[in-house]
Amino acid sequence: MPGILVALGGNALHRAGGNGSWGEARGQMRLAVSVLAEVAAAGEVLVLSHGNGPQVGALLRQNELAAREIPPRPMDVLGAETQGQIGYLIQTELTPALVRRGVRRTVLTVISRTEVSATDAAFSHPSKPVGRYYPEDDARVLRKQYGWSMVYDGARGGWRRVVPSPRPVRWIEGDAVRSLLESSGGSNWIPIVAGGGGIPVVRRPDGTFEGVEAVIDKDLAASMVARELGIRTLAIVTDVPGAAVSFGKRGERWLTQVSKQELADFYKRGEFGDGSMGPKVVAGLEFLEGGGRRFIITDIPSLARALRGEAGTRVDA
Ligand code: ADP
Ligand code: MG
C-alpha cells in the first residue's frame, strides 16, 4: 500500500544527559509530533515504530532496586511495558498536534510480538548490551545467580549484561493491523507498532508463542513491518541528519541521494557503525529488496524535507 513508516530512534524519545523524567520525555516528544502531524495531514497511510533502549534500561534498574519486594519481570515483559509506555507517550503528544491541524485520525498502540527462530545463532552468542555497568565482583555474582552473560567494556571500565539479538522473522499482529488499515483506506488510523523491535517470541510445537530473553533490532523490525504491510517509504529517524562516509573523520561526506548499489558498497567497506548506522542501512537494503520503493535516513528537524526529497540520505529501489 502507498504509505510511510516512520521509525523513531532513541533521540526522538530521550534526551541524552537529561534527568529522565516523564515531563522531559513529553517535551522531547512534543518536538517530534508537529512534523508527524504534518505528514499525517496529507492523509496517506502512516505507521509509526520506535526504539526502547533507554526505557528498557530504566525498567531493568527499577526491577533491580525493587527486587526484594517485587519479583523482577523477564525481558519480554519489559519490552511490552516499554511499548505501552512509549505508545502512550506518542498518543498523548501526537493527538493534540493532530487536533490543532484539524486532522481526525486515531493514534493506536498495538502491543506487538516479533517471531524469532529458536535456532537463531544469536541465542548461543549473546551480543547486545543492556542495562547498567557493574563492577567485577557484582558481575561474577550476577553471572552465577541468574546465568547472565556479561562482557567487559574497557572504555567504560565495567561489566555489562549481554542478551541475544536474533533476527526478526515475522510480525504476529501484522494481519490484524493490515486489515485495520485496509478497512478505512488507511487514513483513519495511525498505528504504533513493533516498538523496540517487538517482543521477541518463539513458536512452540503446538503453534502458540512464548516470550524469550532477547532484544530485537528496531531498525530490522521496522523494515520487516514495512515489507509485511507493503508500505512504499521507510523513514528511519535518528539523531544525525543522514548517513555519512568517513563519518567523524577527515573528508566526512553526508550522503544525499544514493543508489542501492552505492549504499551496499559503502556498507561492505565498513563505513557504517556496527549496532548504530550499520543496522539502519541493512534494514533499508532489505526493505528495497523486499518491494519497498524509497528508504530515508534523517533526523526530526529534516524529516518533512527528506520526505520531499530535499534532505536526509535517500535511496530509491
Ligand atoms: P538510534 O537510537 O536512532 O537507533 P543509533 O545511535 O543506534 O541511534 O544510530 C545513530 C548513530 O550512528 C549516530 O548518532 C552516529 O553516531 C552513528 N554512526 C555510525 N556510523 C555512522 C555513519 N557512517 N554516518 C552517520 N552516523 C553514524
Ligand atoms: Mg540504534
Side-chain angles (χ1 to χ4, degrees):
M1 61 182 87
I4 304 170
L5 189 150
V6 177
L8 299 167
N11 180 62
L13 308 163
H14 175 87
R15 200 159 66 86
N19 64 14
S21 70
W22 183 245
E24 186 179 273
R26 286 191 64 171
Q28 196 71 359
M29 184 53 64
R30 223 166 285 142
L31 301 175
V33 293
S34 67
V35 51
L36 296 178
E38 184 181 335
V39 176
E44 255 191 288
V45 167
L46 175 62
V47 178
L48 303 179
S49 190
H50 59 80
N52 70 349
Q55 293 79 11
V56 164
L59 288 177
L60 284 166
R61 183 68 179 140
Q62 277 183 5
N63 271 336
E64 194 171 76
L65 291 172
R68 258 193 278 179
E69 280 189 33
I70 303 165
R73 299 291 183 262
M75 290 288 299
D76 55 323
V77 178
L78 301 189
E81 287 183 35
T82 64
Q83 289 183 354
Q85 179 191 125
I86 298 166
Y88 171 60
L89 174 65
I90 299 173
Q91 287 174 291
T92 301
E93 294 299 332
L94 180 53
T95 306
L98 294 173
V99 169
R100 276 196 296 279
R101 286 182 166 266
V103 179
R104 295 167 59 101
R105 296 176 76 159
T106 301
V107 190
L108 176 81
T109 300
V110 180
I111 297 292
S112 301
R113 295 167 297 169
T114 300
E115 184 180 346
V116 300
S117 165
T119 59
D120 194 302
F123 286 107
S124 40
H125 300 98
S127 65
K128 178 74 184 172
V130 293
R132 68 185 182 99
Y133 291 80
Y134 296 94
E136 181 156 2
D137 290 349
D138 293 2
R140 200 175 307 119
V141 173
L142 290 165
R143 190 180 266 146
K144 207 161 155 192
Q145 195 171 348
Y146 298 119
W148 288 0
S149 302
M150 309 283 293
V151 292
Y152 186 67
D153 178 342
R156 297 284 293 265
W159 291 79
R160 245 179 136 191
R161 179 181 179 192
V162 282
V163 296
S165 185
R167 281 191 57 80
V169 174
R170 193 169 76 88
W171 172 31
I172 299 185
E173 287 71 24
D175 289 342
V177 173
R178 186 180 311 102
S179 46
L180 180 81
L181 291 174
E182 283 171 354
S183 74
S184 68
S187 57
N188 290 347
W189 310 99
I190 302 177
I192 303 166
V193 306
I199 302 161
V201 297
V202 295
R203 183 187 273 273
R204 290 192 293 213
D206 67 357
T208 63
F209 295 96
E210 181 72 23
V212 290
E213 292 277 306
V215 294
I216 298 171
D217 183 87
K218 72 114 184 12
D219 298 314
L220 297 180
S223 170
M224 171 191 72
V225 162
R227 277 174 281 147
E228 287 192 13
L229 292 175
I231 293 250
R232 233 184 122 73
T233 304
L234 170 63
I236 294 185
V237 174
T238 184
D239 58 356
V240 284
V245 291
S246 301
F247 176 67
K249 293 183 232 155
R250 210 144 43 90
E252 177 182 83
R253 179 166 68 88
W254 292 90
L255 301 171
T256 55
Q257 182 81 36
V258 288
S259 71
K260 267 193 309 188
Q261 191 57 53
E262 281 175 286
L263 193 69
D265 290 344
F266 289 139
Y267 179 78
K268 281 193 212 114
R269 274 170 29 193
E271 292 283 354
F272 309 119
D274 286 343
S276 59
M277 192 52 71
K280 297 183 202 321
V281 167
V282 172
L285 292 170
E286 290 181 351
F287 171 68
L288 297 170
E289 285 306 313
R293 306 301 305 163
R294 169 159 267 217
F295 170 59
I296 294 171
I297 303 171
T298 189
D299 57 10
I300 280 286
S302 310
L303 176 60
R305 281 181 298 124
L307 289 168
R308 291 195 298 268
E310 299 161 6
T313 297
R314 308 176 303 276
V315 198
D316 290 333

